């Protein structure tokens, strides 16, 4: 058992009681797809709590994400990311919070992270976005250590696709954030999970 209480192996699956509604959404997708912006708006519209995993990582490590990559390396970043996720999920469960959680672009690549999200009953939504839009949004922004150049960006996207495709639902995130939120709210069957 962790200090946050996010134990995966014991007891009934959280939120799995008959008739229980899953009011837990996790947003996944590649860098630049708008997880934080859309997540923030969606949570505000629903009146749910908003968690931003990248922000939690930065505050846990007391370092920016580029500094974590530079000083500690990507394997250490992935460990911190898993710990931050575990803490967030523990808090959601403990407080029985309805929430929207913006993941990092690589979070669901680690199988234990995906398993934890599923265990805690999250509906995982992939913000699909055209490559040209992702490139335009990420170009010139310096806080993404995995954005080196266009060809490695495209390669990483191709590697990530199967993981994103495992999401419960997807929406077109090339649209403006408010439209993306509307699309999420109209999703079926995921929409059924949003009802309070
Ligand atoms: C990463 C994406 C970033 C951040 C880190 C690693 C990735 O988050 O977690 O730089 O592996 O794709 P965003 O997707 O929010 O940019």
């Amino acid at each position: 058992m962790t200090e946050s209480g996010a134990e995966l192996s014991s007891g009934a699956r959280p939120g799995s009681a008959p008739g229980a509604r899953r009011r837990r959404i996790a947003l996944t997708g590649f860098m630049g797809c708008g997880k934080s912006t859309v997540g923030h708006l969606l949570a505000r519209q629903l009146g749910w709590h908003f968690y931003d995993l990248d922000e939690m990582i930065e505050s846990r490590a007391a370092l920016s994400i580029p500094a974590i990559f530079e000083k500690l390396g990507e394997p250490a970043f992935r460990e911190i990311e898993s710990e931050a996720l575990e803490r967030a999920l523990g808090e959601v469960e403990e407080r029985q919070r309805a929430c929207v959680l913006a993941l990092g672009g690589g979070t669901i690549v680690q199988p234990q992270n995906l398993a934890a999200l599923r265990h805690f009953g999250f509906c995982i939504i992939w913000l699909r976005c055209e490559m040209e839009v992702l490139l335009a949004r990420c170009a010139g922004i310096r806080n993404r250590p995995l954005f080196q150049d266009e060809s490695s960006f495209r390669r990483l996207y191709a590697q990530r696709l199967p993981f994103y495709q495992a999401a419960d639902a997807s929406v077109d995130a090339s649209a403006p954030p408010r439209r993306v939120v509307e699309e999420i709210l109209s999703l079926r069957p995921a929409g059924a999970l949003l009802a309070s």
Side-chain angles (χ1 to χ4, degrees), residues 27 33-41 50 52 54-55 102-103 127:
L27 300 180
C33 70
K35 299 178 290 293
S36 299
T37 309
V38 168
H40 190 76
L41 283 173
F50 176 59
D52 188 312
D54 282 346
E55 276 179 14
L103 301 170
L127 304 192

Side-chain angles (χ1 to χ4, degrees), residues 29-36 52-54 57 65-66 69 74 77-78 81 102-107 109 138 143-147 156 160 164:
F30 206 52
M31 289 171 265
C33 70
K35 299 178 290 293
S36 299
D52 188 312
L53 192 61
D54 282 346
I57 292 167
I65 286 176
F69 272 75
E74 183 168 350
F77 170 81
R78 297 298 170 197
E81 181 178 46
L103 301 170
T107 309
V109 173
C138 289
N143 68 350
R144 290 195 170 96
L146 293 181
F147 182 45
L156 185 60
R160 293 276 174 80
Y164 300 143

Side-chain angles (χ1 to χ4, degrees), residues 28 108 118 126 128 160-170:
T28 188
I108 63 167
R118 296 220 184 279
W126 171 29
R128 270 183 292 111
R160 293 276 174 80
L161 258 182
F163 296 95
Y164 300 143
Q165 284 165 344
D168 300 305
S170 74

Side-chain angles (χ1 to χ4, degrees), residues 108-164:
I108 63 167
V109 173
Q110 296 195 79
Q112 76 273 21
N113 293 346
L114 182 58
L117 287 159
R118 296 220 184 279
H119 177 82
F120 283 97
F122 275 77
C123 174
I124 302 172
I125 299 177
W126 171 29
L127 304 192
R128 270 183 292 111
C129 201
E130 287 158 25
M131 176 50 68
E132 301 316 315
V133 176
L134 295 171
L135 278 167
R137 288 182 187 166
C138 289
I141 298 177
R142 302 210 158 271
N143 68 350
R144 290 195 170 96
L146 293 181
F147 182 45
Q148 307 285 348
D149 55 64
E150 184 174 333
S151 64
S152 63
F153 192 74
R154 286 179 185 274
R155 261 200 316 279
L156 185 60
Y157 181 76
Q159 288 167 16
R160 293 276 174 80
L161 258 182
F163 296 95
Y164 300 143

